[in-house]
Amino acid sequence: MPPAREQLLEKVKGVDGLLCTLTERVDAELMDAAGPQLKVISSMSVGVDHVDVPAATARGIPVGNTPGVLTDATADMAFALLLSAARRVVEGEKYIRAGKWKTWHPQLLLGADLAGSTLGIIGFGRIGEAVAKRAQGFDMRVIFHDPTATPAFGAQPVDLDTLLHESDFVSLHIPLTPNTKHLVNADFLAKMKPNAILINTARGGVVDQAALYDALKSNQIFAAALDVTDPEPLPMDSPLLELENCLIVPHLGSASQRTRDLMSQLAAENLLAGLKGERLPNCVNPEVFLSPP
Ligand code: GLV
């Protein structure tokens, strides 16, 4: 289990470097509890929404993360969820274990085809692109929404409304920021096709879960497949767990042995560089090296 907040605030006193994961909230209070000697914060994650980066920058502390090494693993998970939700793999598995499998039936657990369908990718960075690359091999049409990205792997840029109106699958690949919090709300879901499947391997906070519950319960969209929730872990009384058309896994996007090894290594390299006062191999606030406070 991650350390309790009080324990963290106590143990952090006097440290020169902080190596954390996404389970720790690294805010101004924690940085101040560490003390003015704190030289570096290194997170073993690509997302840094759990770190108050402006607070670190204001204190001249570089923040390291682990991009690149987890791109393929996370894109694989997005695709695993896409396929599982489309072809109702987990529902089928539960069906057998519940003793319900009596015969083959032409209409048993019918799902969706990938070939010829449209995949809409929101956020076309490294992971979004890697998902597009996989979709090409499945003969999907790929469109994306990302005002700052350039097209790749045959994917066409579109505005968000067009993406929602045309996509059979919508996959989220944006960071959680104040601008993306609850991007997926009732209005967003209402613009999706009734057969659409939502895939989230980004951050739980990007989705308004109450709105998603309503959309799934009323079959306004076909299904959702979530690697991330808000909060994590998802409480056992979450209404999402009542729904057959909501597939949820416990934040496993980068969880392959090799990827986690590479993430650990990169996080350690970031930490060591920061302790030596050198530039981090991967730094989200490189401006700290230009203008010391
Ligand atoms: C995982 O979610 C990460 O940000 O690395």
Side-chain angles (χ1 to χ4, degrees), residues 65-236:
N65 69 336
T66 61
V69 294
L70 48 62
T71 299
D72 283 326
T74 309
D76 287 348
M77 177 54 81
F79 238 84
L81 291 175
L82 188 155
L83 276 164
S84 302
R87 301 303 303 273
R88 307 179 68 173
V89 173
V90 175
E91 276 177 88
E93 219 269 347
K94 285 188 195 157
Y95 185 84
I96 293 178
R97 287 178 192 267
K100 294 185 185 164
W101 191 19
K102 304 296 179 211
T103 179
W104 185 90
H105 190 280
Q107 285 177 319
L108 178 63
L109 290 173
L110 300 187
D113 285 307
L114 271 66
S117 68
T118 297
L119 167 64
I121 297 177
I122 301 182
F124 207 61
R126 281 175 290 253
I127 299 171
E129 268 195 28
V131 170
K133 186 178 173 188
R134 283 154 179 73
Q136 268 194 325
F138 282 84
D139 292 332
M140 300 172 90
R141 168 183 176 242
V142 186
I143 54 181
F144 71 91
H145 177 67
D146 186 336
T148 63
T150 45
F153 301 111
Q156 300 296 317
V158 292
D159 61 50
L160 186 57
D161 277 6
T162 304
L163 184 140
L164 297 177
H165 287 131
E166 295 188 4
S167 297
D168 303 297
F169 301 90
V170 174
S171 193
L172 305 173
H173 300 286
I174 41 176
L176 176 62
T177 68
N179 288 337
T180 62
K181 174 131 179 116
H182 287 190
L183 172 76
V184 181
N185 56 17
D187 188 43
F188 179 113
L189 291 158
K191 291 177 185 159
M192 289 174 70
K193 292 166 76 170
N195 65 301
I197 295 176
L198 177 75
I199 299 117
N200 189 7
T201 52
R203 281 292 181 271
V206 174
V207 175
D208 174 349
Q209 283 176 185
L212 179 62
Y213 173 82
D214 290 342
L216 290 170
K217 179 86 182 164
S218 60
N219 296 314
Q220 192 185 348
I221 64 169
F222 181 69
L226 313 174
D227 182 41
V228 286
T229 61
D230 183 20
E232 291 180 3
L234 190 65
M236 283 308 290

Side-chain angles (χ1 to χ4, degrees), residues 22 44-47 66 70 202-203 251 254 263:
L22 48 80
M44 186 189 150
S45 63
V46 66
T66 61
L70 48 62
R203 281 292 181 271
H251 204 145
S254 62
M263 289 169 71

